[in-house]
Amino acid sequence: SQQGEEDPQALSIQEGENATMNCSYKTSINNLQWYRQNSGRGLVHLILIRSNEREKHSGRLRVTLDTSKKSSSLLITASRAADTASYFCATVPTTYGNNRLAFGKGNQVVVIP
Amino acid sequence: GAVVSQHPSRVICKSGTSVKIECRSLDFQATTMFWYRQFPKQSLMLMATSNEGSKATYEQGVEKDKFLINHASLTLSTLTVTSAHPEDSSFYICSARPPWDNTEAFFGQGTRLTVV
């Protein structure tokens, strides 16, 4: 079953604006990861946040994790047209063996030049 | 970083035929690989965990005889869709983790299967 679930959003923003997307999950996790997928391609890892971390930055990405609310957010600052993609959160539930990832539904982001 | 290569990227086949999809880890050995299926505008659904030298572990609801997985070497896992039907048309993606990092998953480019 899918553990990570984003609020179903399709974001359409202007280049330069910030894009924020959310993710919620249901069980205890070891970590939460965000991935990006360009249309018809594989996924690319963006950032990982561990269950004992609250916020993490990587370049223009900022991810937060609230384990009490079982939720996470991904912020992309100063968006670019090349950021147009689908973004998925994925969790590693503590109950899963061999570190299987459980993916959420995904957010489609369109950045208009 | 680690590289996972998937082949073919696209395949069209006739109903009733079988299609094999390959997933290779190019610069690391992967004792475990994962196969996902993705429908348009939907998330990835884990189909099975491929284990080198042993049987694959299938997720609930995934037909073992329909989706044959073979992980005969530390760098290659194959998914064979047997007796394909139009409802098997989908995007199939594999992933693996390198031994030096058991957190980040690296994905193949995906295979778009169309059964006509």
Side-chain angles (χ1 to χ4, degrees):
Chain A
S1 62
Q2 297 295 327
Q3 296 294 316
E5 293 187 15
E6 293 86 71
D7 293 342
Q9 289 187 27
L11 302 175
S12 183
I13 58 175
Q14 294 290 328
E15 198 166 33
E17 293 180 343
N18 295 342
T20 301
M21 56 209 87
N22 300 303
C23 167
S24 60
Y25 56 92
K26 297 177 181 177
T27 65
S28 296
I29 61 172
N30 291 317
N31 62 68
L32 185 144
Q33 304 174 37
W34 284 91
Y35 287 82
R36 165 196 167 127
Q37 182 182 34
N38 285 7
S39 181
R41 304 298 298 273
L43 277 70
V44 175
H45 182 266
L46 294 177
I47 193 167
L48 177 151
I49 187 166
R50 300 188 188 280
S51 60
N52 61 353
E53 297 177 308
R54 293 297 168 260
E55 185 173 316
K56 201 165 185 179
H57 297 254
S58 177
R60 292 185 296 113
L61 305 178
R62 172 176 170 261
V63 64
T64 64
L65 178 65
D66 187 335
T67 52
S68 65
K69 296 181 179 179
K70 291 187 168 54
S71 66
S72 173
S73 68
L74 174 67
L75 168 68
I76 304 174
T77 62
S79 63
R80 305 167 182 169
D83 294 329
T84 295
S86 292
Y87 293 84
F88 295 89
C89 80
T91 58
V92 181
T94 54
T95 54
Y96 272 23
N98 65 25
N99 283 325
R100 289 180 296 160
L101 287 172
F103 282 88
K105 297 177 183 176
N107 282 272
Q108 186 164 3
V109 175
V110 175
V111 181
I112 302 168
Chain B
V3 179
V4 175
S5 178
Q6 192 172 335
H7 178 81
S9 58
R10 290 179 180 271
V11 59
I12 301 173
C13 71
K14 293 183 178 180
S15 289
T17 62
S18 295
V19 173
K20 180 184 286 188
I21 303 169
E22 294 185 346
C23 181
R24 294 181 184 273
S25 55
L26 297 187
D27 51 0
F28 66 96
Q29 294 182 335
T31 56
T32 303
M33 291 186 177
F34 302 91
W35 286 97
Y36 295 85
R37 180 174 182 175
Q38 185 180 31
F39 291 102
K41 296 187 178 180
Q42 293 192 24
S43 187
L44 281 72
M45 180 190 78
L46 180 64
M47 298 175 65
T49 303
S50 174
N51 303 299
E52 188 271 333
S54 64
K55 293 182 179 180
T57 304
Y58 289 82
E59 295 299 305
Q60 192 173 8
V62 178
E63 299 177 59
K64 300 178 182 182
D65 296 332
K66 176 74 171 175
F67 300 99
L68 299 179
I69 291 173
N70 183 277
H71 195 149
S73 80
L74 287 169
T75 58
L76 174 64
S77 175
T78 60
L79 169 67
T80 301
V81 183
T82 62
S83 186
H85 291 281
E87 57 265 29
D88 299 325
S89 298
S90 190
F91 192 60
Y92 295 88
I93 314 175
C94 68
S95 77
R97 291 189 181 84
W100 63 82
D101 182 354
N102 199 29
T103 55
E104 177 181 345
F106 292 86
F107 286 80
Q109 306 94 316
T111 298
R112 172 72 61 192
L113 171 63
T114 303
V115 185
V116 297

